[in-house]
Amino acid sequence: MTADRTTNDVRGDASVTSPPQADPSGSAAKLVRSIPEATVARLAVYLRMLGELAEQGAETVSSEELATATGVNSAKLRKDLSYIGSYGIRGVGYEVASLHHQIERTLGLDRQQAVALVGVGNLGHALAGYSGFGGRGFPVAALFDVDPDLVGIHINGIVVEHVRDIPRVCAERGVTIGMIATPGPAAQSVCDQLVRAGVQCILNFAPVVLQVPEQVEVRKVDLAVELQVLAFHVARRRAGDASDTVVAPSVANGVRDGVHVTNGSAVLPR
Amino acid sequence: MTADRTTNDVRGDASVTSPPQADPSGSAAKLVRSIPEATVARLAVYLRMLGELAEQGAETVSSEELATATGVNSAKLRKDLSYIGSYGIRGVGYEVASLHHQIERTLGLDRQQAVALVGVGNLGHALAGYSGFGGRGFPVAALFDVDPDLVGIHINGIVVEHVRDIPRVCAERGVTIGMIATPGPAAQSVCDQLVRAGVQCILNFAPVVLQVPEQVEVRKVDLAVELQVLAFHVARRRAGDASDTVVAPSVANGVRDGVHVTNGSAVLPR
DNA sequence: CCATGTGAAGGCCTTCACAGCC
DNA sequence: GGCTGTGAAGGCCTTCACATGG
């Protein structure tokens, strides 16, 4: 049955106040519903699947179907959706188009967010060329680097500018999200400049902990950590049982961990 | 004060039995200590910082120092370290080299893990060229693609093989970890072949939920999700208060969320 | 005295189970 | 009858606070 699931990361923080919601009651702003961080990440996953379902011509989905397709428990999915409102029809399921729209609105994807990418080395170059961003409402509006061999070249029709111009260029192009794909030592300085340029959120690929003012949100993607966590599981498995054939059907007494899908982000590698 | 923290993802699962530990007691295997998944991810972060500290010539660190440097709470750090044993010295701190070694052992990094990368398109090419893998005990031992224009080329001295040869090549080279950087539609089929080849862990960059047998561990990295979560926070902020200057010092009543560092993986983009 | 290691408390999230509604 | 929405229960993880020991 190949159990699997996609659980997402968690802040040490509490949950998060919701975006503007057409709340009919004139209640004070203090009691707005709040959405757990873990739920927000999963909503993005549901959204993608809803897009695929719509393309396939589906009109409705049940929580069970959508949950299976996205690798979560159906109760969890219903609870997640309950945070954004009651858009399901009992006895039927969810209307695909409508739910898609509601999630999009909740995630703030109804307006485009200009992205700046700093560091067009190995990884950065790949990110710059990744066509999935623009298509998903995240047009890459600016590229930066310090390498004179890179400054001035075009990637996907965008010129690479010098890092020193971050404040001006970001302001001009209304950048709201920054991505840092520089070597570790350069990351903090780049981060500071992005913050000075008014960027509110940063996706950090550099292996450092960024210091930012309270109002700036940082998410970190650390490939080395991912691999090391996997390495741990390989080691654990090797230690645990002796079989090394592919699929051992017998289940050791009490060691029913099995395997699962973890974490929460992905790239359309086109 | 730039509060920040790096919280890592969480499985829906329970924690995880520990790797072989020189337990002096002859106790039954059933009671071995178990390490929370969240802790495992942070251990990798501590490990990197310990490496840097060692390079700088530090002999010892306190939990407070190491915690600040890695963006976590010092109590959490001590609890994390307590899962792998008592290697600290009260009144002093931790011996850098020794702690580094213990974490390495716990994560199973004392033996190399051969990695196979499937899909050398945009992102995959960048990953293949990422020099940080080999240096960290994860040599990329095999590359695969279906594109005839790619099969046969060399990247970093490694030939790109055809996907159909996954079972043979992976077996030959003792691959234990697979990375999937193909377009979404190809991912499941590639995954099946990796599993058939005996790969135990998979790092999935494709935006699909992989179906795997219970014994295979999958971690997913989804850039689109990361950006959408950030977009949500931008939207939330825009909805919350009206100021859009860079650093508004006043804190809205009850909206003291601020900002933080989230999630858990990163790439040394060299 | 200072910093580790850890029971205990608290918080967030998941899971269960069923009432409510179509 | 079926599926959603949700209170309640349970689990994992974080945080606190202090006993413990160099």
Side-chain angles (χ1 to χ4, degrees):
Chain A
M1 211 36 21
T2 70
D4 73 71
R5 95 191 48 146
T6 306
T7 307
N8 284 297
D9 46 6
V10 169
R11 303 260 298 289
D13 254 316
S15 43
V16 143
T17 41
S18 77
Q21 172 118 6
D23 188 342
S25 74
S27 62
K30 212 50 165 307
L31 284 177
V32 283
R33 202 195 320 264
S34 122
I35 305 183
E37 183 79 6
T39 292
V40 173
R42 282 191 301 267
L43 286 175
V45 177
Y46 306 152
L47 183 64
R48 173 158 51 218
M49 184 55 63
L50 286 167
E52 291 181 20
L53 288 171
E55 277 180 15
Q56 294 165 19
E59 301 261 324
T60 62
V61 252
S62 68
S63 64
E64 189 59 45
E65 289 164 346
L66 188 52
T68 303
T70 53
V72 305
N73 178 309
S74 71
K76 190 193 292 189
L77 181 138
R78 288 198 301 277
K79 178 138 290 195
D80 284 341
L81 294 183
S82 78
Y83 288 112
I84 69 174
S86 294
Y87 299 111
I89 307 157
R90 295 177 192 231
V92 179
Y94 300 88
E95 209 263 301
V96 172
S98 146
L99 185 56
H100 188 280
H101 176 71
Q102 293 302 336
I103 294 180
E104 225 169 31
R105 197 176 55 76
T106 302
L107 294 182
L109 300 177
D110 42 4
R111 62 187 87 203
Q112 298 230 329
Q113 312 261 8
V115 173
L117 171 62
V118 189
V120 280
N122 198 5
L123 174 69
H125 201 112
L127 295 175
Y130 172 41
S131 59
F133 290 157
R136 294 187 172 277
F138 298 100
V140 176
L143 301 173
F144 299 96
D145 208 301
V146 284
D147 185 341
D149 291 348
L150 293 173
V151 173
I153 71 169
H154 285 67
I155 301 177
N156 264 19
I158 312 206
V159 195
V160 177
E161 320 253 2
H162 195 279
V163 160
R164 79 170 80 84
D165 294 325
I166 285 176
R168 177 179 57 79
V169 174
C170 287
E172 283 174 8
R173 305 184 191 173
V175 167
T176 51
I177 296 180
M179 297 198 303
I180 299 179
T182 68
Q188 183 61 58
S189 137
V190 158
C191 172
D192 292 344
Q193 296 192 64
L194 286 172
V195 169
R196 218 171 292 133
V199 165
Q200 298 169 345
C201 295
I202 291 175
L203 188 54
N204 178 30
F205 291 87
V208 294
V209 178
L210 295 177
Q211 305 295 320
V212 292
E214 273 207 294
Q215 315 181 328
V216 177
E217 175 88 16
V218 177
R219 284 181 81 85
K220 193 176 163 201
V221 177
D222 193 327
L223 252 199
V225 169
E226 298 298 338
L227 281 179
Q228 286 169 2
V229 172
L230 288 179
F232 170 77
H233 287 291
V234 173
R236 172 170 68 96
R237 198 154 294 133
R238 186 175 286 132
D241 62 6
S243 80
D244 59 311
T245 43
V246 181
V247 176
S250 70
V251 174
N253 183 2
V255 184
R256 228 169 8 79
D257 274 307
V259 174
H260 300 110
V261 184
T262 325
N263 200 334
S265 27
V267 162
L268 291 173
R270 161 81 45 136
Chain B
M1 215 29 30
T2 68
D4 73 70
R5 98 191 47 149
T6 306
T7 308
N8 285 298
D9 46 5
V10 170
R11 303 260 298 290
D13 254 316
S15 43
V16 144
T17 41
S18 76
Q21 172 117 8
D23 189 340
S25 74
S27 62
K30 211 50 167 305
L31 284 178
V32 284
R33 203 193 319 267
S34 122
I35 304 182
E37 182 82 5
T39 292
V40 172
R42 282 191 300 268
L43 287 176
V45 177
Y46 306 150
L47 182 65
R48 172 157 52 217
M49 183 56 61
L50 286 168
E52 291 180 20
L53 289 170
E55 277 180 16
Q56 294 165 21
E59 301 263 323
T60 62
V61 253
S62 68
S63 65
E64 188 60 44
E65 290 164 345
L66 188 52
T68 303
T70 52
V72 305
N73 178 308
S74 72
K76 190 192 294 190
L77 181 139
R78 288 198 300 278
K79 178 136 293 196
D80 283 342
L81 294 184
S82 78
Y83 287 112
I84 68 173
S86 294
Y87 299 110
I89 307 156
R90 296 180 191 230
V92 179
Y94 300 87
E95 208 263 300
V96 172
S98 146
L99 186 56
H100 188 280
H101 176 71
Q102 292 303 336
I103 294 180
E104 226 169 30
R105 199 177 52 78
T106 301
L107 294 182
L109 300 177
D110 40 6
R111 63 188 87 204
Q112 298 230 330
Q113 310 263 6
V115 173
L117 170 62
V118 188
V120 282
N122 198 5
L123 175 68
H125 201 113
L127 294 175
Y130 171 43
S131 59
F133 289 156
R136 295 189 169 276
F138 299 100
V140 176
L143 302 172
F144 300 96
D145 208 301
V146 285
D147 185 341
D149 291 348
L150 293 174
V151 172
I153 71 169
H154 286 67
I155 301 177
N156 264 18
I158 312 208
V159 196
V160 177
E161 320 252 3
H162 194 279
V163 160
R164 79 170 80 84
D165 294 324
I166 285 178
R168 177 179 57 79
V169 174
C170 287
E172 283 173 8
R173 305 185 190 172
V175 167
T176 51
I177 296 180
M179 297 199 303
I180 299 179
T182 67
Q188 182 62 57
S189 137
V190 160
C191 172
D192 292 343
Q193 296 191 65
L194 286 172
V195 169
R196 218 170 292 134
V199 165
Q200 296 168 346
C201 295
I202 292 175
L203 188 54
N204 178 30
F205 292 87
V208 294
V209 178
L210 295 177
Q211 306 295 318
V212 292
E214 272 207 293
Q215 315 181 327
V216 177
E217 175 88 15
V218 177
R219 285 181 79 85
K220 193 177 162 198
V221 177
D222 193 326
L223 252 198
V225 169
E226 299 297 338
L227 281 179
Q228 286 169 1
V229 171
L230 287 178
F232 171 78
H233 288 290
V234 173
R236 173 170 67 96
R237 199 154 291 132
R238 185 176 284 133
D241 62 7
S243 81
D244 59 313
T245 44
V246 181
V247 179
S250 70
V251 174
N253 182 2
V255 184
R256 227 169 8 79
D257 271 308
V259 175
H260 301 111
V261 183
T262 325
N263 200 335
S265 18
V267 161
L268 290 173
R270 160 82 41 139

